[in-house]
């Protein structure tokens, strides 16, 4: 829901239902990084109601577009986070497997060494 | 080359086109002796939280993109910078726990991930309990509450949500049965979570049908096929994450017979549906020694830190110096900043006290005080800071899904939220 004025569409307040600090703070961060934005803020009118008001004021561009761009950018940042994270986890797992293999081989080698030594002592 | 006569006249120079272009492209920061970037104290403010003895400073980030525009520094974190700078380092990963570092991510987004992990990731938990017989001393509702909190190993992505109008079927419900008895004459026995039996064919309790019809009696669920037949559950039967959770205790002659239905939900509704035992993050600590700690002071510093952050380094000629060996372990307890009596002198105190005990306590105390030399005033010599966009995330899962899967799902959920907002606006 957008509360704005028909004449000046660069200032608007967006009300999101069923949202809380989780999304609002993240969007607020991305919004403030946009150089077209002069005011980017959010408020929660009452903690018992699940609703968030996000205020956007820009230097001329329609507030709706700027807000949408911010959400898009947040989405893309998340996708990037996911890909980097997945890569890091697969690399770590591969590294662990390699280490385990090495340790198992080392253990096997030592066992063989001790095994041969026992035969000698007998 | 100007002659003396020309200097007396008004000098009129013809500005060439080259000079005009130069003037247009002139950037003061290209001059060789103008410093680039922010002055060091502002850079500190922008990227570090300084932890003083009383309270942290500069904790709120300056996120406004034009904050430092007059110094020519762009404070924005747009997608290109972010993609270049963002890094993830996995420190440890087991089936239930995970510790990893996220570098280059803003605080608001890291917190969003943490909140989603705790409250908005779905999981399966027991919701409805049909009690047939309960003669134990644990009341029905307390028993039902305890059953709800037991973590269940079942991937919630394979199930659908059950709303009020839906019929419980094999796609949205998991049915467990608990039937335990303590025979008369036996000692008291414990009821553990291993006694919860999974019923892949659905409920076995019959519903009371009005009118006594001759058709097949209905049960409380309508399973059209056995959950056993699903490929995911054929080899991994659904069961509680831990087998040794104590549900109740039975005395001789007591019995519990009940059926429990587990459904999908999120932590926001009730904490039993939270798939993580807990998830938290902390900012990467930075410990800097502003002055050299040598000899006795170095030993004192190493002894004072409860997390063993500092270490002694030999400098040759018997001289010792303190260095920061493990800043990552620092828990910011600020012991190294705290004022206090130096303990090295304090050992002499205790000796003096022991000798003087026979003389009387009051006298010993005054002797001890006279011996105590300087107070520790290291507040200016050790700097404790936190790096603002480097987070050490820890995720502990309850067992239903491995922690890396949980984190990936949390990121997906944040993406979905953004998408929902965009589609609402369009």
């Amino acid at each position: 829901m957008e509360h704005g004025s028909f004449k000046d569409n660069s200032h608007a307040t967006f009300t999101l239902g069923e949202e809380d600090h989780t999304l609002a703070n993240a969007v607020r961060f991305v919004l403030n990084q946009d150089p077209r934005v002069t005011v980017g803020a959010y408020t929660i009118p009452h903690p018992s109601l699940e609703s968030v008001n996000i205020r956007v004021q820009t230097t001329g561009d329609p507030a709706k577009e700027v807000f949408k761009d911010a959400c898009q950018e947040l989405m893309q940042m998340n996708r990037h986070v996911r890909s980097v994270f997945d890569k890091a986890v697969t690399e770590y797992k591969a590294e662990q497997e390699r280490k385990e293999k090495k340790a198992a081989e080392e253990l096997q080698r030592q066992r063989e060494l001790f095994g041969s030594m026992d035969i000698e002592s007998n | 080359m100007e002659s003396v006569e020309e200097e007396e006249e008004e000098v009129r120079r013809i500005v060439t086109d080259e000079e005009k272009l130069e003037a247009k492209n002139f950037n003061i920061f290209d001059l060789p002796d103008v410093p680039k970037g922010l002055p060091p104290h502002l850079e500190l403010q922008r990227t570090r939280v300084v932890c003083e003895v009383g309270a942290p400073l500069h904790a709120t980030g300056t996120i406004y993109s034009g904050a430092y525009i007059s110094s020519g520094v762009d404070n924005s974190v747009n997608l290109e910078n972010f993609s270049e700078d963002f890094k993830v380092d996995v420190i440890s990963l087991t089936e239930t726990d995970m510790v990893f570092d996220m570098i280059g991510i803003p605080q608001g987004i890291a917190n969003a991930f943490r909140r989603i992990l705790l409250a908005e990731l779905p999981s399966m938990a027991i919701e409805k309990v049909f009690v047939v017989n309960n003669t134990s001393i644990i009341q029905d509702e307390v028993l039902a509450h305890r059953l709800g909190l037991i973590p269940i190993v079942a991937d919630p992505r394979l199930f659908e949500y059950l709303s009020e109008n839906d019929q419980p079927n094999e796609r949205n419900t998991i049915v467990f049965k608990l039937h335990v008895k303590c025979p008369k004459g036996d000692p008291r026995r414990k009821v553990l979570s291993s006694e919860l039996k999974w019923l892949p064919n659905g409920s076995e309790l019959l519903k009371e049908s009005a009118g006594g019809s001759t058709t097949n009696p209905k049960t409380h669920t309508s399973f059209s096929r056995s959950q056993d037949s699903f490929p995911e559950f054929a080899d991994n039967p659904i069961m509680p994450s831990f087998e040794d959770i104590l549900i109740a205790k039975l005395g001789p002659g007591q019995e519990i017979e009940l059926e429990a239905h587990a459904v999908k939900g999120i932590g926001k509704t009730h904490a039993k549906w939270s798939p993580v035992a807990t998830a938290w993050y902390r900012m990467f600590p930075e410990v800097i020694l502003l002055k050299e700690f040598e000899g006795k002071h170095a030993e004192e510093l190493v002894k004072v830190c409860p997390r063993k952050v500092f270490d002694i380094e030999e400098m040759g000629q018997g001289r010792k110096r303190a260095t920061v060996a493990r800043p990552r372990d620092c828990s910011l307890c600020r012991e190294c900043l705290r004022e206090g009596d130096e303990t090295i002198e304090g050992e002499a105190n205790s000796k003096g006290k022991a000798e003087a005990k026979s003389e009387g306590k009051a006298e010993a105390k005054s002797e001890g005080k006279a011996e105590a030399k300087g107070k520790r005033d290291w507040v200016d010599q050790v700097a404790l800071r936190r790096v603002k966009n480097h987070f050490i995330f820890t995720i502990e899962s309850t067992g239903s899904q491995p922690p890396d899967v949980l984190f990936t799902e949390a990121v997906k959920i944040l993406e979905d939220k953004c998408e929902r907002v965009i589609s609402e606006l369009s």
Side-chain angles (χ1 to χ4, degrees), chain B residues 168-171 173-177 197-205 218-230 233 238 259-261:
Chain B
N169 57 31
E170 72 277 5
R171 276 262 152 241
T173 316
I174 304 176
V175 183
F176 291 96
K177 181 166 111 150
K197 299 275 176 291
W198 177 39
L199 301 177
N201 288 321
S203 170
E204 288 171 359
L205 293 181
K218 286 199 211 155
T219 60
H220 285 275
T221 60
S222 29
F223 276 38
S224 56
R225 53 186 276 210
S226 166
Q227 281 177 330
D228 241 342
S229 57
F230 289 130
F233 302 131
I238 299 179
E259 208 178 73
H261 293 194

Side-chain angles (χ1 to χ4, degrees), chain B residues 253-314:
Chain B
Q254 294 177 351
E255 184 182 349
I256 296 180
E257 187 181 347
L258 54 82
E259 208 178 73
H261 293 194
V263 295
K264 185 171 169 179
I266 57 175
K268 246 192 202 175
T269 327
H270 192 287
K272 69 187 176 191
W273 275 301
S274 181
V276 291
T278 186
W280 76 89
Y281 66 77
R282 61 188 178 105
M283 285 196 254
F284 191 82
E286 203 182 44
V287 183
I288 297 187
L289 297 173
L290 299 170
K291 294 198 192 149
E292 287 263 319
F293 276 76
E294 291 196 3
K296 227 171 33 176
H297 291 284
E299 283 177 22
E300 176 102 16
L301 186 64
V302 171
K303 215 187 336 177
V304 146
C305 182
R307 293 296 196 96
K308 304 195 177 20
V309 169
F310 301 102
D311 238 348
I312 298 272
E313 185 191 18
E314 304 284 337

Side-chain angles (χ1 to χ4, degrees), chain A residues 19-20 22 29 32-33 64 67-68 71-76 78-82 85 88 92-93, chain B residues 63 65 75-77 79 83 91-92 98 106 112 115 404 408 411-412 414-415 417-418 420 422 425:
Chain A
E19 293 295 345
D20 57 357
T22 310
F29 175 83
N32 271 317
Q33 299 302 312
K64 198 171 178 180
F67 187 52
K68 257 205 280 187
C71 289
Q72 274 287 82
E73 194 151 321
L74 185 60
M75 256 175 74
Q76 287 175 339
N78 279 331
R79 286 206 194 114
H80 182 76
V81 167
R82 230 192 321 151
F85 180 76
Y92 180 82
K93 284 191 180 161
Chain B
I63 63 174
S65 64
N75 196 25
S76 65
V77 173
L79 194 57
S83 312
I91 309 290
S92 79
M98 177 171 192
R115 286 175 68 101
D404 48 307
T408 321
V411 182
K412 272 196 214 160
L414 190 58
E415 269 181 52
K417 280 184 190 254
C418 295
R420 205 153 39 99
I422 293 177
L425 285 177

